[in-house]
Amino acid sequence: MPVPVPVVVDCDPGHDDMIAIMLAAAHPAVELLAITTVAGNGTLEQTTHNARATCALAGIRGVPVAAGAEGPLLGELRTAPEVHGASGLDGADLGPVDAVPLAGAHAVDLLARTLREHPEPVTLIAVGPLTNVALLLRTHPQLAERLGEIVLMGGAVGAGNVAPLAEFNVATDPEAADVVLRSAVPVTLCPLEATHQALATPVVLDRLRALGSPLAATVVDLLTFFAGRYEERWGMDAPPVHDPVAVARVIAPELVGCVDAHVVIELRGEHTRGATVCDLHGVTGRSPNARVAMTLDADGFWHLVVDAVAALGRAGR
């Protein structure tokens, strides 16, 4: 059996972040070393609470959780209560978090220690604003070689979701995304074009409901709330569950089809700040600096997710 890929999940839970955490914790193809949180979908206090609540509910133990950046490198924090609710994870009561203590270290310090101590390069799965990742690269540049890859959920090749050309995670901290894409670390970008293929349809919810565990029932409640927000805001029949796509890319790369491209972050445009400018056809003549996900095997993806929820549920969680 292949050796599991060591990963850290940097996140801002968020409904889709919750699924990403569970998938990373449950699948044997990856070894979840740590969870770090960043302000994004909610304040840092909210996202950190939601990460701990996810671990408590799903029975994820022994994985350190550390809080990180309270806001972007520049400017003020913009959260997303219109999508994720006032708590950042509305739709169900996840219960107490006491069983999952918060690590004493700042997220960037925990990331640095994890990279130093693990014998193999670590894959960083970043599914929120990239502030923690940028701070890591800025303050510990010598550790870049300890990162095997950064796989991130963020960006859009075409239309955005918080501005005409900007996606939430990147738009929340464009300067941080710029730092990441200018680094020498291999980057895979999972933009909206790929994640909008990961739809939590009624059929998917029925599959989860049929698992019959309390965990699965809570996941269905959360995704039902999430679906309502997407229907109200964007008129979509089913919500895209963005963040686990990045985890799926690490677990089963064949499920997420990528192309090589040169990607830059627009930092100054009056109408385009936060846009991910993806040169898919090489018109700039610049060498690719990222893999960009464009296709998703949705059936294979949901098979991974449902199996993860089933595995955690079978463990009595």
Side-chain angles (χ1 to χ4, degrees), residues 68-290:
E70 295 181 352
L73 297 179
L74 296 176
E76 297 183 358
L77 175 66
R78 169 176 53 185
T79 60
E82 71 281 2
V83 178
H84 296 280
S87 71
L89 193 51
D90 281 6
D93 181 6
L94 273 62
V97 302
D98 297 346
V100 182
L102 187 62
H106 187 279
V108 175
D109 295 328
L110 178 60
L111 284 167
R113 185 170 73 236
T114 302
L115 293 177
R116 289 193 193 100
E117 294 179 352
H118 200 275
E120 300 296 329
V122 174
T123 293
L124 180 52
I125 304 176
V127 294
L130 293 166
T131 317
N132 288 338
V133 186
L135 290 171
L136 174 72
L137 293 170
R138 281 183 168 181
T139 58
H140 302 281
Q142 74 281 7
L143 294 178
E145 64 184 20
R146 302 295 304 148
L147 282 167
E149 185 180 11
I150 298 170
V151 181
L152 65 95
M153 187 278 128
V157 175
N161 59 2
V162 293
L165 297 177
E167 176 275 333
F168 177 83
N169 284 345
V170 173
T172 298
D173 196 340
E175 281 72 23
D178 181 63
V179 169
V180 171
L181 281 163
R182 290 180 184 275
S183 76
V185 181
V187 173
T188 296
L189 186 81
C190 297
L192 297 180
E193 281 71 18
T195 66
H196 274 200
Q197 299 172 53
L199 300 175
T201 64
V203 172
V204 168
L205 296 183
D206 284 344
R207 289 175 62 188
L208 289 165
R209 192 177 290 110
L211 296 176
S213 69
L215 175 61
T218 300
V219 170
V220 170
D221 288 344
L222 289 164
L223 290 179
T224 299
F225 173 90
F226 198 44
R229 289 301 176 95
Y230 262 84
E231 184 177 13
E232 292 171 8
R233 187 165 178 81
W234 287 285
M236 298 181 68
D237 293 334
V241 185
H242 307 278
D243 293 341
V245 173
V247 182
R249 169 66 189 182
V250 178
I251 292 171
E254 69 279 3
L255 297 180
V256 185
C258 297
V259 297
D260 293 334
H262 189 84
V263 182
V264 296
I265 307 300
E266 177 57 61
L267 301 178
R268 292 178 296 276
E270 179 181 357
H271 304 292
T272 57
R273 175 170 160 78
T276 42
V277 183
C278 302
D279 182 10
L280 298 182
H281 304 292
V283 297
T284 64
R286 297 175 178 174
S287 298
N289 63 343

